[in-house]
């Protein structure tokens, strides 16, 4: 009797393992298909990798739905841990590792305005709109925390997709603003979401509001410092021990593991892991990357980019398949009109919430910019507003966390999940398709020419990328007339030399680089990455 039971149990395990292997094979094959189709559509200006993966995921989900007679639409079961622990870290780290640091920190205050203050404004508008409208519609039993959660969920822009929409070389200012806002926005949204779950929202008063703001500032500062410390520790170890004398594999492995360790430590201490791994990537590209051998530089550049690329495709492919999950749609299929109305209202709130902070905060930012070429003009503001309308995997993951914790079959929860899916699909596909044409219409003269000299040092992104200022090139034309750059003397007289960047360079050269290495401060060792011919430091 016991023998037959064990054999039956073993047979069930073998069948389950075989099914998992089959699912994984199909999923990997779909990833390969996404790469191939994305390559074939590379020259089609309206398409990008995200939309391609979504479309393939939707088609695959439809086929699975038909073959399983409506029981399932996906090959793998979605897990918030899979997304936050394994897929998101390489994407955010690579974003920090590849970013043009000078452009990012030059616009840091504007990025913080958009990413932190702007997200709070968008969160408030979406939450208030949801409370006042959905309570009257009676879509189901939802608590105040659920309405605030939907505000945080739909305030999270899709930093993955916007990076594919704008080009860092063609539109440096727009790229740095949208990209930087996307990272800070994701971190702010997750912090908001976690705060909503941890605070008692039945009686909101000034004390709770102050505690919430204090908690947010603590998380932001602590997460940033943890990422910086992890990056500096990695740079110091690599500089002192110089693994490349024996094996470049150790250098690459240490960089990858230290970056992931910083992310997991942030999760362990309930900090913002997104901010931590992002600033860890920035510090590693500034110090550690210059301490390793030339082969390790090339390897890390491509390894980090490849991991990020595969994770992005995997996320959007799964989102496409999961969007057709019959269990979520079964509850609301009797009220298709109300479902469309709820989704349309949420999408409208997203549009209004973003416009409510992009244009006013751009005006405030322009007040601090003296040169007219550094100001964010109206066309650029419209582009920033549009490019950040897309919602993606972060919104999906937070929606699952909030509305499936008790029962996804509850009417209110089902409406919120399906509406979030609808907003994500519509915004990614429609807004994503129209973003490139919109950029070409609003900014037709986006032809930039690289100058032969640049103060930007070599970076993991490129060894020779030029430093571009606010999208203005050396041969810009306005009304058919050439705009001449001021001479060096005029520029010196009109531009203060004692800027924050000036003092940072002095501090960096005097204290940081001698200890942690970096460009120009790595001791010369045969076959080492030291490049004594180039002294253009950041």
């Amino acid at each position: 009797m016991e023998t037959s039971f064990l054999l039956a149990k073993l047979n069930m395990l073998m069948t389950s393992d075989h099914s998992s292997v089959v699912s994984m094979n199909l999923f990997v094959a779909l990833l390969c298909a996404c790469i191939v189709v994305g390559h074939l559509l590379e020259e089609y200006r309206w398409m990008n990798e995200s939309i391609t993966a979504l479309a393939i995921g939707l088609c695959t989900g439809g086929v699975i739905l038909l073959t399983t007679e409506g029981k399932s639409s996906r090959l793998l079961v979605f897990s918030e841990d899979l997304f936050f622990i394994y897929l998101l870290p390489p994407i955010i780290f690579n974003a920090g590792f590849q970013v043009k640091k000078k452009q990012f920190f030059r616009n840091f205050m504007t990025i913080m305005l958009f990413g932190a203050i702007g997200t709070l404004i968008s969160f408030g508008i979406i939450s208030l709109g949801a409370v006042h409208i959905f309570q009257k519609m009676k879509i189901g039993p939802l608590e105040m925390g659920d309405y605030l959660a939907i505000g945080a969920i739909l305030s999270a822009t899709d930093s993955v997709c916007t990076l594919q929409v704008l080009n860092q070389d063609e539109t440096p200012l727009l790229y740095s603003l949208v990209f930087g806002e996307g990272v800070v926005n994701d971190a702010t949204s997750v912090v908001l979401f976690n705060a909503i779950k941890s605070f008692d929202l039945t009686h909101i008063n000034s004390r709770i509001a102050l505690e919430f703001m204090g908690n947010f500032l603590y998380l932001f500062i602590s997460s940033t410092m943890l990422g910086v410390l992890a990056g500096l520790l990695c740079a110091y170890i690599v500089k002192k021990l110089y693994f490349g004398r024996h094996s470049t594999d150790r250098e690459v492995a240490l960089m990858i593991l230290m970056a992931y360790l910083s992310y997991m430590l942030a999760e362990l201490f309930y900090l913002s892991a997104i901010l931590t791994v992002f600033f860890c990537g920035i510090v590693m590209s500034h110090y550690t990357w210059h301490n390793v051998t030339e082969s390790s530089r090339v390897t890390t550049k491509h390894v980090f980019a490849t991991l990020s690329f595969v994770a992005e495709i995997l996320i959007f492919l799964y989102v496409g398949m999961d969007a057709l999950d019959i269990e979520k749609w079964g509850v609301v299929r009797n009220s298709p009109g109300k479902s469309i109305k709820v989704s349309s209202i949420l999408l409208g709130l997203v549009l209004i919430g973003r416009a409510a902070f992009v244009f006013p905060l751009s005006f405030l930012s322009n007040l601090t910019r003296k040169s007219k070429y550094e100001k964010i003009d109206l066309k650029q503001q419209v582009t920033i507003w549009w490019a950040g309308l897309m919602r993606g995997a972060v919104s999906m993951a937070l929606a699952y966390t909030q509305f499936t914790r008790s029962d996804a079959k509850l009417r209110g929860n089902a409406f919120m999940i399906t509406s979030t899916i609808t907003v994500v699909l519509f915004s990614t596909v429609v807004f994503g398709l129209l973003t490139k044409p919109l950029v070409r219409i609003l900014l037709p003269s986006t032809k930039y020419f690289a100058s032969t000299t640049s103060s930007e040092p070599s970076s993991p992104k490129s060894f020779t990328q030029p430093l571009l200022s606010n999208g203005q090139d050396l041969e810009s034309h306005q009304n058919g007339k050439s705009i001449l750059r001021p001479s060096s003397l005029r520029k010196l007289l009109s531009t203060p030399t004692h800027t924050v960047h000036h003092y940072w360079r002095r501090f960096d050269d005097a204290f940081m680089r001698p200890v942690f290495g970096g460009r120009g401060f790595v001791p010369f060792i045969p076959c080492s990455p030291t490049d004594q011919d180039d002294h253009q430091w950041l």
Side-chain angles (χ1 to χ4, degrees):
M1 190 70 178
E2 293 181 359
T3 303
S4 61
F5 174 77
L6 291 174
L7 289 174
K9 192 73 173 177
L10 181 62
N11 185 48
M12 290 176 61
L13 290 173
M14 292 177 63
T15 304
S16 176
D17 290 341
H18 184 70
S19 299
S20 300
V21 171
V22 172
S23 298
M24 286 301 300
N25 274 276
L26 291 174
F27 202 85
V28 172
L30 287 173
L31 288 174
C32 295
C34 290
I35 294 173
V36 173
V37 174
H39 172 72
L40 295 176
L41 296 175
E42 181 71 24
E43 296 181 357
Y44 187 50
R45 293 179 179 270
W46 288 27
M47 295 294 290
N48 57 50
E49 296 288 349
S50 303
I51 299 174
T52 302
L54 265 178
I56 293 177
L58 284 170
C59 295
T60 306
V63 172
I64 297 174
L65 201 63
L66 293 175
T67 55
T68 59
E69 298 180 352
K71 294 180 180 179
S72 177
S73 66
R74 55 180 181 253
L75 296 170
L76 302 174
V77 177
F78 182 84
S79 170
E80 291 81 8
D81 290 339
L82 172 67
F83 174 73
F84 283 108
I85 302 299
Y86 301 108
L87 299 181
L88 193 59
I91 296 173
I92 303 300
F93 174 79
N94 184 64
F97 194 73
Q98 305 283 10
V99 70
K100 285 184 177 180
K101 297 180 289 295
K102 201 164 195 175
Q103 279 291 336
F104 178 82
F105 287 105
R106 174 181 291 171
N107 300 293
F108 185 74
M109 292 307 299
T110 305
I111 288 171
M112 291 305 302
L113 275 176
F114 286 165
I117 306 301
T119 302
L120 291 174
I121 295 173
S122 177
F123 160 75
I125 291 176
I126 296 174
S127 298
L128 290 175
V131 171
H132 289 292
I133 298 174
F134 293 154
Q135 284 183 344
K136 296 178 182 178
M137 293 177 61
K138 298 179 180 179
I139 61 174
L142 292 174
E143 301 175 354
M144 179 58 69
D146 294 324
Y147 292 116
L148 295 178
I150 199 65
I153 289 167
L154 293 180
S155 294
T157 61
D158 182 17
S159 59
V160 174
C161 195
T162 51
L163 290 178
Q164 297 174 346
V165 170
L166 297 176
N167 185 279
Q168 188 168 200
D169 300 318
E170 293 180 354
T171 54
L173 174 66
L174 291 177
Y175 185 93
S176 64
L177 291 179
V178 175
F179 157 75
E181 180 215 341
V183 176
V184 179
N185 167 276
D186 285 345
T188 305
S189 299
V190 174
V191 170
L192 278 171
F193 183 81
N194 292 332
I196 289 168
K197 293 196 300 182
S198 60
F199 278 86
D200 182 14
L201 301 174
T202 55
H203 299 89
I204 301 177
N205 51 39
S206 58
R207 183 182 62 83
I208 293 179
L210 289 174
E211 287 182 1
F212 176 81
M213 293 303 299
N215 185 50
F216 172 78
L217 292 174
Y218 162 75
L219 288 175
F220 183 88
I221 296 173
S222 301
S223 303
T224 301
M225 291 305 299
L226 178 59
V228 171
L229 291 175
L232 291 177
L233 178 61
C234 182
Y236 184 81
I237 293 174
V238 171
K239 179 176 179 291
K240 286 297 182 182
L241 299 182
Y242 191 60
F243 296 98
R245 286 176 296 183
H246 306 294
S247 172
T248 58
D249 297 338
R250 293 189 179 96
E251 292 179 326
V252 178
L254 184 66
M255 291 180 69
I256 295 174
L257 293 175
M258 284 295 292
Y260 191 67
L261 178 63
S262 70
Y263 187 92
M264 295 308 299
L265 284 175
E267 289 286 338
L268 178 65
F269 295 116
Y270 300 101
L271 302 176
S272 174
I274 294 175
L275 276 176
T276 296
V277 77
F278 172 70
F279 280 99
C280 181
I282 290 180
V283 173
M284 280 193 179
S285 70
H286 188 60
Y287 296 109
T288 314
W289 190 77
H290 296 284
N291 296 342
V292 299
T293 59
E294 195 69 31
S295 59
S296 293
R297 292 187 188 183
V298 177
T299 302
T300 52
K301 171 188 171 183
H302 292 291
V303 165
F304 296 149
T306 302
L307 290 174
S308 174
F309 176 72
V310 173
E312 291 171 12
I313 297 178
L314 194 152
I315 288 171
F316 283 99
L317 180 64
Y318 186 86
V319 168
M321 286 190 292
D322 195 67
L324 298 178
D325 185 22
I326 198 66
E327 181 180 342
K328 303 179 183 68
W329 294 98
V331 180
V332 300
R333 63 183 176 183
N334 295 327
S335 306
K338 183 173 286 188
S339 178
I340 295 174
K341 190 174 181 180
V342 170
S343 301
S344 301
I345 291 171
L346 288 176
L347 187 61
L349 291 173
V350 168
L351 295 170
I352 297 171
R354 183 157 183 84
F357 76 82
V358 168
F359 299 105
L361 294 183
S362 296
F363 174 77
L364 293 177
S365 176
N366 286 337
L367 294 178
T368 64
R369 298 171 183 262
K370 296 181 179 180
S371 173
K372 66 177 182 179
Y373 299 116
E374 295 180 354
K375 294 183 183 296
I376 310 171
D377 59 36
L378 182 59
K379 291 183 178 180
Q380 291 174 330
Q381 293 175 30
V382 173
T383 305
I384 294 171
W385 169 73
W386 183 270
L389 290 176
M390 288 168 282
R391 299 296 180 266
V394 174
S395 296
M396 293 279 287
L398 295 179
Y400 286 132
T401 303
Q402 176 68 21
F403 298 110
T404 61
R405 69 188 190 282
S406 54
D407 189 358
K409 295 182 179 180
L410 292 176
R411 184 177 174 81
N413 290 353
F415 265 112
M416 291 295 98
I417 293 177
T418 54
S419 298
T420 302
I421 292 172
T422 304
V423 170
V424 168
L425 291 178
F426 184 87
S427 62
T428 301
V429 175
V430 177
F431 297 155
L433 284 172
L434 296 179
T435 298
K436 287 185 179 179
L438 183 69
V439 171
R440 291 202 301 271
I441 293 172
L442 293 175
L443 308 168
S445 58
T446 54
K447 300 293 184 181
Y448 299 93
F449 300 92
S451 60
T452 56
T453 59
S454 171
S455 61
E456 181 82 17
S458 65
S459 68
K461 188 68 176 177
S462 171
F463 293 106
T464 58
Q465 279 186 340
L467 173 64
L468 300 172
S469 175
N470 198 20
Q472 302 298 325
D473 59 89
L474 294 175
E475 299 178 15
S476 297
H477 294 272
Q478 184 176 17
N479 299 326
K481 296 181 180 180
S482 178
I483 300 175
L484 298 176
R485 289 283 190 179
S487 64
S488 299
L489 180 59
R490 288 178 58 195
K491 187 174 183 180
L492 178 63
L493 293 176
S494 61
T495 306
T497 57
H498 297 286
T499 60
V500 175
H501 180 255
H502 169 77
Y503 289 113
W504 161 248
R505 283 186 58 183
R506 292 182 58 183
F507 175 77
D508 197 25
D509 292 347
F511 298 102
M512 300 298 290
R513 292 179 193 259
V515 176
F516 300 103
R519 190 168 191 82
F521 283 85
V522 181
F524 180 75
I525 301 175
C527 300
S528 73
T530 306
D531 185 0
Q532 296 181 325
D533 296 329
D534 193 343
H535 300 284
Q536 298 295 328
W537 307 328
L538 179 64

